[in-house]
Each structure stands twice: as structure tokens, then as C-alpha cells.
Amino acid sequence: MRSRQLIRDMIVHYLGNPILNELDDGACLSFVEKDLVFTTDSFVVRPLFFPGGDIGKLAVCGTVNDLAMMGAKPRYLSLGLILEEGLLLADLERVVRSMRAALKAANVKIVTGDTKVVERGMGFGMFVNTAGIGVRFPNADTRVVNARAGDAVIVTGTLGDHGAAVIACREGINLESRLVSDVAPLWNLVGPLLRKNVDIHCLRDPTRGGLAAALNDIAESSLVGIRLVENKIPVRKEVRGICRVLGLDPLNMACEGRAVVVCPGKNAAAVVKMLRSRPLGRNAEVIGQVVKQPKNMVILETEIGGERIVETPMGEDLPRIC
Amino acid sequence: MRSRQLIRDMIVHYLGNPILNELDDGACLSFVEKDLVFTTDSFVVRPLFFPGGDIGKLAVCGTVNDLAMMGAKPRYLSLGLILEEGLLLADLERVVRSMRAALKAANVKIVTGDTKVVERGMGFGMFVNTAGIGVRFPNADTRVVNARAGDAVIVTGTLGDHGAAVIACREGINLESRLVSDVAPLWNLVGPLLRKNVDIHCLRDPTRGGLAAALNDIAESSLVGIRLVENKIPVRKEVRGICRVLGLDPLNMACEGRAVVVCPGKNAAAVVKMLRSRPLGRNAEVIGQVVKQPKNMVILETEIGGERIVETPMGEDLPRIC
């Protein structure tokens, strides 16, 4: 119980707000809006701390971004911690402080939580679950079923930074220049598009399985094809380097602060301009288009003029990158 | 990815519904009600299967009950699974089927979820997180701050069955008669009280730390005292036996299908009658009363005519009983 008290105090100390501080069995929330979005994600990343972030920032941004991709303004999060005995309190504090910063950046609150401590020796340190409630924008329908031939495919920034940074950190790969995870809350980037009623067909964050998984999901759900132009796809040279060393494909690498935006081709330039006006979107690019045929497929026009099929990664995921 | 596909298919197969089946980044929900309750709980019980339940049933009931204790009708759950490589698919299927039965009994749906698989060798099999959204009953204020001198303290059934059943199973203690966990969804028991506008001051489920923790929480939050009459407290003889063998106090043992109900003394008989009219409440009893003094304390009038202070369990919790 003493440890529970300590944790409670640490969490209330750093993450407290009038709703959370009630510390009751649940949080009482009032909404004037009728249409909500509800989502959840568990985070098992290893190591707990990596260049550009940690499991706490990831747990806040991951759930905030799932809400944002559904066209919902993130409002409230729950926090479920599973801590391993022996976890350093200093590490827990560092994670909780990082959460606090991410919550502030995303303008959301943790309003209810639960902490379990399990016996030492499993070697995971901590797992984090967040669930989230957001308020859906009127008329926002950004589901993966809405892509149509003629749409443009846009990414809001460089791809694979998160996956590459975590793997490099875990494998002890030294980089000349500093590569950091892209983990960031996306609502401030995509919210303005929805607020201004820009016609957006799909939003998806390319997390597990990277761009390849996200685009195949869109192609299959919308019964369309997608053609990509390789030399338009923004990938940092450090990410390319790590992928080359480890035999990985940058298109399969997870991002935690990037979105795929599908919109009518005629709006693409305006959308890219809006995205680039914010720091998080300054590397936004049109990387391809939605086509009628071949359906359910993603085709990459390579830099050397060939074509290849981009498949959903079928082997095991890169382990524990989120 | 193949394992993810399989899990997704298993979860959709057993737990599917039109909202979950969208398998998007989140679930779109519509509410006509303004006042919602949001809660979360993680479950790390070991063993995964125990007499009367398993981690799946527990994960559904635990969150449903947190909502019910807040005076909210449980509506939607999220499901976060962390699976250890090597977990038998048959065990996962058994857990998911058990969830399905509990969801049906509680009349709630899982509408969004996430599954992570982590490497083999940690030895936990699986952890489960559920978050839940419920609709708060108009005028229901069942928080622990509302107890007043003169109130009756009622429990809805025998205490400690869950904790004792899990510990006995884990320790290999053989029981002459079969003791099973009390894990059950409580909304069907307490909902009718709220629906009929019965004057209820507090609702609390005595989970971790048992009755002792729940009542101390009420006493401290409401700045009152609580006097209990030991021979009114329903405890099964098997639970007493296990506690005697292991040196545990039945008042500290977790329940997962019991509620503490605090209501004005004059209504106590009627409340007990209503509770007893349902199978889950057939052993309901008035076990004590709320008093002005001594504040912040729970006092037990023992069977042999003495008095003792019932403290919040201060050592470590019984490990991994929920």
C-alpha cells in the first residue's frame, strides 16, 4: 500500500487536475457534444527512454493521435500503469514528467487511472495503457473507407524516424548526426484542417507497419489502388542508413508523429501549404495518388524508373517499438 | 502480423459488434446523455484461470463495477491486451469466450481495442486493461464523501470470496467444499436502487484491500466514523479457514462482485430487502453504522464483546489477485 500511496502522490503531483484529484472509482465528465470517439492503446516500448521521447510521451501521443485521425479533438485520457517491482522511482518520475509535458502540448487531461505493481524479474520495467475520449468534429469523416480515385496522398513529414531511433538506440548503433523519434501529438496539425472544413477523405497515422501498412489499409478498405512516387517520399538519410544496415524497409518503419492525409487532388497544394505552415508539418509532401486500378494494391514508382508492389509487412512486427 | 491477424479474428469473432468491427483507430459513439463516467483498470491476476472466473471475466466485471459504483450505467468498454509470446491460443480463446459471457451478463460492448505481443520468457501470460464509459444516473451521487452519521452500512454479500479463491488456487490449498470467486457485474444489483431513486449516499466495491480499505476510505473522505458488528459480517467458513491458515484477515480480502452500500438508517431494511430479491444480493446484510465520533476510524465490535480498530491494510497488497 505504501508504494501505491507513493505512486498516487507522484501521479497526482505531476498530472493532477480537479477531476483526477477526486481519486474515485471513475471520472465524472460532462459533454455538450453528442458525438464522441473512444480509443485505447497499450505501450510496451523498449528501452523505456529513447532519443526524442520515452514510453510516457508515446502513451499520451499515441492515443491523442488515434483520436485525431478519427477527426476528434482529444479531451480526456485514462492511464493504466503496470509497474515492475524494482523499477527506479527516478525513472517513473521521469516518465510521469514527460507525460505532463505531452499532455500540455496536446491540451488534454488524464482524468482517471489505475496502477498495478507486479513482482520483480520479468524485465519489462513498465507497461502503459492509455484510453482516450475525443469530441468528433461535425461532418468529419476521415475513415479509411473514403479514398477515391483522383485523391492525392500526402504525408505530413519524414517517415520512419520513430522506428529507426528506437531500434538504433536498442541495437547501440551510433549515428553521426542525431536522429530522434518523431513522437508528437498531431491534433494541432490536423485540427485546423477540420476546423476550416477542408475536404479531407482519410487520415491515418502510420504507426505499426509504417506507411506500407497504413496505405494498404486505405487501399483495401476503399477498394482502390495507390501509386507512390519514391523520390517524393521524405525519408531522412539517417533512417535510410539504419534500414540499410539492418535490412529493413523505411516504408515499414513506424512513425508516432506523422499523418497520412488523403484529399481530393485539386486541394492537395492548399493542404500541403497549410500543413507546412506549422513546424510539425514543414516537411509535408504529396507522395502519390489514389487510382482506380489495380484495386487493393499499393505500387511504388522507384527512383530508377521501375515499379514495385508495396505490401503490408507480413513477418513479425519490429518488436516493441511502441 | 499473422499473429495479429489471428488475434483480431479471434476477438472480432467472439466479441464483434458493428462498432468494434469497423476496426478503425477508435470507436464513434453517440450519446444523448450529457453526464458520463470514464474509468480504467489493469488486470494482472495470477493464475489466469481460478475457481469461478479468469482474467477475462475479471477485466469486464472490474470496470463495469467501477462505473456502477459511480452511479453510472455501464455502456462501452475498450480492451487492451498485452500477450506474451508462447501464450496458448486455447487459453486466449478461453479468456475471450469468458469475456463474451461477462459482457452479455453486464449488457455492455467492447467497441475499441489494441493488442501487443511481447517476447516470451517474462512468465505473465497476459495482462488485460479495460477502460469504460458509463452514463451517469441523474441525481446519482454515490461518492465516498457522502456518508453521514446515522447512515447504515450494508454489504451485498459474503466478503473475501475472490481473494481467498485466487490465493487458495495459487497456493494449492485443497478445500473440502468448493469456494469460488464472487466476480460478477454489479450494475444489475445496484442499478434498480438508483432507477427507483432510493436515497443512497455511497457505493464502493471492496476490491484491493477488501472491506477494510473501502470503509476506511469512506470514513476518511466523509470525516465520519464507522462501527461494525462482527457477527453481522457475512464471511464463508471456507474463507475464514483459508485466512486462518495463511494468517490473513477476511476484512482485507478482495471481492470482485460485492458492494458496500451506505444509506440513511431508516431506509436500510428496505434496501436490504431490495438487494436480497436478486440472487447476487441474497446474502445482503446491515453490518454497521456511520457515527460522528471517532472520526476517520473504523471500529469493529467483536463477537466476544471487545472492540478493535480496523485499519487500511498497510503492508503490501496480496500480490496479483486482480
Side-chain angles (χ1 to χ4, degrees), chain A residues 1 4 24-25 27 29-31 34-36 38-39 41-42 46 114 116 119 204 313 315 317 320, chain B residues 1 4 24-25 27 29-31 34-36 38-39 41-42 46 114 116 119 204 313 315 317 320:
Chain A
M1 274 293 185
R4 225 163 89 194
D24 219 320
D25 280 340
L29 307 175
S30 280
F31 292 91
K34 278 184 165 48
D35 294 315
L36 304 182
F38 183 31
T39 191
D41 230 330
S42 298
R46 170 183 283 184
D114 170 69
K116 294 286 190 299
E119 59 261 49
R204 191 79 167 190
D317 280 328
R320 302 181 65 178
Chain B
M1 277 288 186
R4 225 163 90 195
D24 220 320
D25 280 340
L29 307 175
S30 281
F31 292 91
K34 279 185 166 45
D35 294 315
L36 304 182
F38 183 31
T39 190
D41 229 329
S42 298
R46 173 182 281 183
D114 170 68
K116 293 286 190 298
E119 58 261 49
R204 191 80 169 187
D317 280 329
R320 301 182 65 178

Side-chain angles (χ1 to χ4, degrees), chain A residues 17 54 102-103 110 125 132 165 168 173 181 186 212 223 238 269 274 297 318:
Chain A
N17 57 66
D54 57 68
L103 290 164
I110 286 174
I173 297 173
S181 165
L186 285 168
L223 300 172
E238 298 90 336
M274 287 181 74
M297 280 183 108
L318 290 171

Side-chain angles (χ1 to χ4, degrees), chain A residues 60-75:
Chain A
V60 170
C61 295
T63 291
V64 159
N65 291 350
D66 279 348
L67 294 172
M69 296 302 103
M70 295 293 292
K73 181 175 162 62
R75 287 279 291 276

Side-chain angles (χ1 to χ4, degrees), chain B residues 287-299:
Chain B
I287 61 167
Q289 58 175 327
V290 179
V291 293
K292 272 216 176 76
Q293 297 289 347
K295 282 195 206 316
N296 309 332
M297 280 184 107
V298 180
I299 308 257

Side-chain angles (χ1 to χ4, degrees), chain B residues 255-276:
Chain B
C255 310
E256 292 288 347
R258 307 290 184 230
V260 172
V261 183
V262 176
C263 70
K266 63 177 170 21
N267 301 343
V271 169
V272 167
K273 194 177 164 196
M274 285 181 75
L275 291 169
R276 286 188 183 163

Side-chain angles (χ1 to χ4, degrees), chain A residues 1-4 8 22-44 46 65-67 69-70 76-82 85 111-119 121-124 127-129 131-133 136 142-145 203-205 208-209 213 217 312-317 319-320 322, chain B residues 1-4 8 22-44 46 65-67 69-70 76-82 85 111-119 121-124 127-129 131-133 136 142-145 203-205 208-209 213 217 312-317 319-320 322:
Chain A
M1 274 293 185
R2 260 163 303 181
S3 60
R4 225 163 89 194
R8 202 176 79 161
E22 291 260 330
L23 289 178
D24 219 320
D25 280 340
C28 294
L29 307 175
S30 280
F31 292 91
V32 289
E33 304 88 352
K34 278 184 165 48
D35 294 315
L36 304 182
V37 176
F38 183 31
T39 191
T40 190
D41 230 330
S42 298
F43 299 86
V44 299
R46 170 183 283 184
N65 291 350
D66 279 348
L67 294 172
M69 296 302 103
M70 295 293 292
Y76 300 113
L77 299 188
S78 66
L79 174 63
L81 294 175
I82 300 178
E85 271 181 15
V111 291
T112 186
D114 170 69
T115 303
K116 294 286 190 299
V117 179
V118 303
E119 59 261 49
M122 296 184 186
F124 60 76
F127 293 145
V128 182
N129 176 282
I133 299 178
R136 201 163 162 203
T142 58
R143 289 173 303 151
V144 287
V145 297
L203 285 175
R204 191 79 167 190
D205 52 341
R208 271 197 290 187
D217 203 7
T312 302
M314 281 305 288
E316 283 309 301
D317 280 328
R320 302 181 65 178
C322 58
Chain B
M1 277 288 186
R2 261 164 303 182
S3 61
R4 225 163 90 195
R8 203 176 80 162
E22 291 260 331
L23 290 176
D24 220 320
D25 280 340
C28 295
L29 307 175
S30 281
F31 292 91
V32 289
E33 303 88 351
K34 279 185 166 45
D35 294 315
L36 304 182
V37 176
F38 183 31
T39 190
T40 191
D41 229 329
S42 298
F43 298 87
V44 301
R46 173 182 281 183
N65 291 349
D66 279 348
L67 294 171
M69 294 304 101
M70 295 293 292
Y76 300 113
L77 299 187
S78 67
L79 174 63
L81 293 175
I82 300 178
E85 271 181 13
V111 292
T112 187
D114 170 68
T115 302
K116 293 286 190 298
V117 178
V118 301
E119 58 261 49
M122 296 186 186
F124 60 76
F127 294 145
V128 182
N129 175 283
I133 300 178
R136 200 160 164 207
T142 57
R143 289 173 303 151
V144 287
V145 296
L203 286 175
R204 191 80 169 187
D205 52 342
R208 272 197 289 188
D217 203 7
T312 302
M314 282 303 291
E316 284 308 299
D317 280 329
R320 301 182 65 178
C322 59

